[in-house]
Amino acid sequence: MSNRRDFIKGTAAVAAATTMLPWMASATEIMAKQKKIKLADNTVVLFQGDSITDAGRDKNNMEYNNQAAFGNGYVSHIAAQLLFDNPAKKLKIYNKGISGNKVFQLADRWDKDCLELKPDVLSIMVGVNDFWHTVTGNYKGTIQTYKDDYVKLLNRTKEKFPNIQLIIAEPYAVKGVKAVDDKWYPAFDDYRHAAHEIANQFNAIYIPLQEVFDHAQEAMPGKYWTGDGVHPSPAGAQIMATAWLAAFKG
Amino acid sequence: MSNRRDFIKGTAAVAAATTMLPWMASATEIMAKQKKIKLADNTVVLFQGDSITDAGRDKNNMEYNNQAAFGNGYVSHIAAQLLFDNPAKKLKIYNKGISGNKVFQLADRWDKDCLELKPDVLSIMVGVNDFWHTVTGNYKGTIQTYKDDYVKLLNRTKEKFPNIQLIIAEPYAVKGVKAVDDKWYPAFDDYRHAAHEIANQFNAIYIPLQEVFDHAQEAMPGKYWTGDGVHPSPAGAQIMATAWLAAFKG
């Protein structure tokens, strides 16, 4: 048992040290002020979202804690670290992100891909397609559609699981990299702000990804962190994992 | 520039804290005594091996620092962390592991999948198939074949790149989990010891994976860390990444 305590102490030290990276400092200061996720035994953790979350996962694989089912993006890094740091807790971690999804498409599959899994911790990252697909002309939804759909989805979730721990990640974009040009602004900012407001409204932990990616550009240009302005590079996925893991420390 | 120094200091602190995990302590003590990898600007890092290294990578993707080309195993975690920790160094990281490979199969593709990439740092993890395929009756090679093939491969590499920094990982197996039964012992141990001797002979950094996985079982049973006794679970891949990253710290 003292082993267990040392173990947990060691893990917390890792997380604390991580916050020392200077260009992560501002974002992690925000994280430090926030509530933290409580990981009790048998906690079910579900990641939901679009292609950034999906990250090439095997959608025929329905297992939890399975590498192919995690894909190879930020979820893979977070899940591996959580399973490494909390070996005795019998966590069950799922990734159910699907490429291209907007909020209404999460809603369409919410019974199967969320409620039936009975998540204790639910992380959602969605919004970039709700905006992007309007620029490319494939989608007619507005910022109000995004807000309404998102609030409806979360109300539906909280009704079923009043004590669920929510994580809402900010949709981000890296300006000047490939897909992300002037046409995105200022309209895209409204989606970021809406996600923040909704996170506050639902008392969720908010992952300030735009700030994280903005600060990362103090170290290297945007294209180092994302190939197309939207999807993270391996280094970008590690930034995201670091930001998320700050919510799981302490 | 002072930012850069703080950045590096922060990263070192993360690595130092990582060594505090008690069941990693013994392995990291060994790592601490070893040489460390020097990551100069423009360092090319190549991971070579079998299915454990391959981890579902896209073999049509020839890019460096590319997530699909990394696969979703231990290489993905190491590479993402190195690219995150060293943003300004212009590292080029490749994964060229191929499922099922034994040493002679690495040799068959060594020009294309190693020498032409001009690696400054070369990490090799190979050996479990050199033994396993003799148990399943698909391969006639002996322990001597493994040693001879491995030494020949490394001589060929050092001839071309005398200053290459080598990492040799111990082939490991988790006894009692699925594929790994009594038939493996003591014969398999000879392959582990051979890898260690070869690492010493070539002044390579040695990653003591058997010890790492043995100690991990103080926290949880073997099947938590590997589904079949050979391939790591997500938590097992994170153990491996942690052990490797200890060679890159300081």
Side-chain angles (χ1 to χ4, degrees):
Chain A
M1 281 301 104
S2 104
N3 249 24
R4 183 69 40 75
R5 269 195 300 273
D6 288 352
F7 181 84
I8 289 163
K9 225 189 287 171
T11 305
V14 172
T18 302
T19 62
M20 294 170 64
L21 300 175
W23 49 270
M24 288 289 287
S26 161
T28 46
E29 262 169 42
I30 294 173
M31 297 303 298
K33 285 181 202 149
Q34 288 202 339
K35 286 181 309 162
K36 300 294 174 192
I37 292 293
K38 283 189 200 3
L39 282 183
D41 285 356
N42 304 303
T43 294
V44 175
V45 182
L46 169 61
F47 291 89
Q48 266 291 4
D50 53 35
S51 55
I52 300 172
T53 304
D54 180 332
R57 72 182 178 88
D58 175 0
K59 290 173 198 67
N60 294 317
N61 189 321
M62 297 297 156
E63 289 180 46
Y64 54 82
N65 302 353
N66 181 285
Q67 186 58 64
F70 285 153
N72 60 16
Y74 75 94
V75 173
S76 165
H77 299 311
I78 297 167
Q81 191 70 53
L82 291 178
L83 292 166
F84 173 87
D85 285 344
N86 304 279
K89 284 201 175 157
K90 299 189 169 66
L91 305 180
K92 292 182 182 175
I93 308 183
Y94 294 94
N95 179 7
K96 296 290 179 185
I98 290 190
S99 193
N101 269 196
K102 296 172 276 289
V103 182
F104 81 87
Q105 289 155 319
L106 295 187
D108 285 348
R109 58 190 183 83
W110 208 240
D111 282 336
K112 183 167 169 295
D113 283 354
C114 175
L115 304 181
E116 285 177 15
L117 300 171
K118 300 188 171 65
D120 301 294
V121 177
L122 170 61
S123 166
I124 308 178
M125 176 174 185
V126 70
V128 74
N129 294 321
D130 297 75
F131 170 74
W132 195 3
H133 293 184
T134 66
V135 178
T136 54
N138 299 319
Y139 181 55
K140 300 288 178 203
T142 64
I143 178 68
Q144 197 59 46
T145 315
Y146 176 67
K147 286 184 193 177
D148 292 347
D149 287 358
Y150 214 152
V151 166
K152 204 187 294 175
L153 188 75
L154 292 173
N155 277 331
R156 184 174 156 199
T157 310
K158 290 279 275 187
E159 234 165 67
K160 186 126 188 187
F161 306 113
N163 298 321
I164 197 166
Q165 301 183 78
L166 290 174
I167 299 175
I168 290 182
E170 182 176 26
Y172 70 89
V174 179
K175 202 172 171 177
V177 179
K178 219 167 165 179
V180 181
D181 56 22
D182 285 343
K183 282 198 299 293
W184 283 52
Y185 299 93
F188 175 67
D189 292 330
D190 293 341
Y191 289 76
R192 300 197 294 103
H193 300 148
H196 202 168
E197 282 161 23
I198 290 167
N200 289 341
Q201 182 182 336
F202 284 87
N203 202 23
I205 291 172
Y206 184 65
I207 313 279
L209 287 180
Q210 188 63 55
E211 188 161 5
V212 168
F213 276 90
D214 286 351
H215 279 285
Q217 291 172 71
E218 296 167 15
M220 282 292 276
K223 66 175 196 265
Y224 184 80
W225 307 107
T226 163
D228 63 0
V230 170
H231 298 90
S233 66
Q238 187 66 41
I239 294 189
M240 294 174 66
T242 306
W244 252 267
L245 286 166
F248 284 92
K249 80 170 174 194
Chain B
M1 282 300 106
S2 102
N3 248 24
R4 184 68 39 75
R5 270 195 298 276
D6 289 353
F7 181 82
I8 289 163
K9 224 189 289 172
T11 305
V14 172
T18 303
T19 62
M20 294 171 65
L21 301 175
W23 50 269
M24 287 290 286
S26 163
T28 45
E29 262 168 43
I30 294 174
M31 297 304 298
K33 285 180 203 152
Q34 289 202 338
K35 287 180 310 162
K36 302 294 174 190
I37 292 293
K38 284 189 199 4
L39 282 181
D41 285 355
N42 304 303
T43 294
V44 175
V45 182
L46 169 61
F47 291 89
Q48 265 292 3
D50 53 33
S51 55
I52 300 171
T53 304
D54 180 333
R57 72 181 177 90
D58 175 0
K59 288 171 199 67
N60 295 318
N61 189 321
M62 298 297 156
E63 290 182 46
Y64 54 82
N65 302 352
N66 180 285
Q67 186 58 62
F70 285 153
N72 59 17
Y74 75 94
V75 174
S76 165
H77 297 312
I78 297 167
Q81 191 70 51
L82 291 179
L83 292 166
F84 172 86
D85 285 345
N86 305 281
K89 284 201 176 157
K90 298 188 171 63
L91 305 180
K92 292 182 182 174
I93 308 182
Y94 294 94
N95 178 7
K96 295 290 178 186
I98 290 191
S99 193
N101 269 196
K102 296 172 277 289
V103 182
F104 82 88
Q105 290 155 318
L106 295 187
D108 285 348
R109 57 189 183 84
W110 208 238
D111 281 335
K112 183 169 170 292
D113 284 353
C114 176
L115 304 181
E116 286 178 15
L117 300 172
K118 300 188 171 65
D120 301 294
V121 177
L122 170 61
S123 166
I124 307 179
M125 175 175 186
V126 70
V128 73
N129 294 321
D130 297 76
F131 170 75
W132 195 3
H133 294 183
T134 67
V135 177
T136 54
N138 299 319
Y139 181 55
K140 299 288 180 204
T142 64
I143 177 68
Q144 197 59 47
T145 315
Y146 176 66
K147 285 183 194 176
D148 293 346
D149 287 357
Y150 214 151
V151 167
K152 204 186 297 175
L153 188 76
L154 292 173
N155 277 331
R156 183 174 158 200
T157 310
K158 291 279 276 189
E159 233 165 69
K160 186 126 189 184
F161 306 113
N163 298 320
I164 197 166
Q165 302 183 76
L166 290 173
I167 300 175
I168 291 184
E170 182 176 27
Y172 70 88
V174 180
K175 203 174 171 174
V177 179
K178 221 167 164 179
V180 181
D181 57 22
D182 285 342
K183 281 199 299 294
W184 283 52
Y185 299 93
F188 176 67
D189 292 329
D190 293 340
Y191 288 76
R192 299 197 294 106
H193 300 147
H196 201 167
E197 281 161 25
I198 290 166
N200 289 342
Q201 183 183 336
F202 285 87
N203 202 22
I205 291 172
Y206 184 64
I207 313 278
L209 287 179
Q210 189 63 54
E211 188 161 5
V212 168
F213 276 90
D214 287 350
H215 279 285
Q217 291 171 71
E218 296 167 16
M220 282 294 275
K223 67 174 196 263
Y224 185 79
W225 306 106
T226 163
D228 62 1
V230 171
H231 297 89
S233 66
Q238 188 65 41
I239 294 186
M240 295 174 66
T242 305
W244 252 267
L245 287 166
F248 285 93
K249 80 171 173 192

